[in-house]
Amino acid sequence: MVTVTVNVSEAKELLAADKGGTSDPYCVAELVDAASGKPLKKPRKIKTKSVKKTLAPFWHDGAATWEGIAEDVGMLALKVTIFDADAMSSETLGGVTVPLSAGDVEKWVPLETAGKMKDGTVSGSVMVAIRIMMPDQGGSKSE
């Protein structure tokens, strides 16, 4: 079984979805099958709180550690989608899928068109950190 730690800590240069020239961004991050984009049978997902009136949010609740992952990590990806929170609905601001086959990652990733967005309407990037911990190969188990 594998343990995956993720942290989606901030974004920058996001689209302004609100009239005041800002957005109220929040982030959803989940492990998905890299080929199909479908969530795992046992969901591994986090959702941050929205940060009001900004195009460069910092999320203090964007970290998670998922243990006991039985799937082949090389076939999984972290799907990150950023939304603008509104009273009645949420508008997609962009998203990105980072394959876990890349190993440990900590970098700014440019956002791409996601969901019902029109092509070419996305801007900004998101800071993504992924750490993959494999079970010990050999060694002694503590009783």
Side-chain angles (χ1 to χ4, degrees):
M1 301 281 192
V2 175
T3 299
V4 175
T5 300
V6 301
N7 188 9
V8 183
S9 57
E10 60 182 304
K12 62 183 179 183
E13 301 169 3
L14 296 177
L15 277 177
D18 297 337
K19 289 179 182 175
T22 62
S23 292
D24 304 318
Y26 70 92
C27 173
V28 175
E30 65 183 320
L31 284 185
V32 298
D33 179 85
S36 69
K38 293 183 179 175
L40 303 184
K41 287 181 179 159
K42 180 179 179 186
R44 312 289 182 140
K45 186 175 188 175
I46 57 170
K47 176 182 170 185
T48 68
K49 292 179 181 169
S50 67
V51 181
K52 301 292 183 197
K53 299 182 188 280
T54 185
L55 301 179
F58 286 89
W59 294 293
H60 301 286
D61 56 350
T65 298
W66 295 309
E67 298 177 338
I69 297 170
E71 292 85 356
D72 179 357
V73 173
M75 305 300 284
L76 301 179
L78 179 69
K79 179 181 175 184
V80 177
T81 310
I82 299 176
F83 299 92
D84 173 51
D86 288 322
M88 300 301 282
S89 64
S90 293
E91 180 180 340
T92 306
L93 299 176
V96 66
T97 301
V98 180
L100 296 192
S101 60
D104 291 356
V105 171
E106 185 170 355
K107 65 180 181 178
W108 285 98
V109 183
L111 293 173
E112 301 169 356
T113 304
K116 298 178 181 178
M117 295 178 72
K118 294 177 185 167
D119 285 339
T121 60
V122 68
S123 74
S125 54
V126 62
M127 174 55 83
V128 176
I130 302 170
R131 182 155 183 252
I132 302 165
M133 291 160 278
M134 301 296 215
D136 289 337
Q137 306 293 324
S140 61
K141 293 181 180 178
S142 57
E143 304 282 337

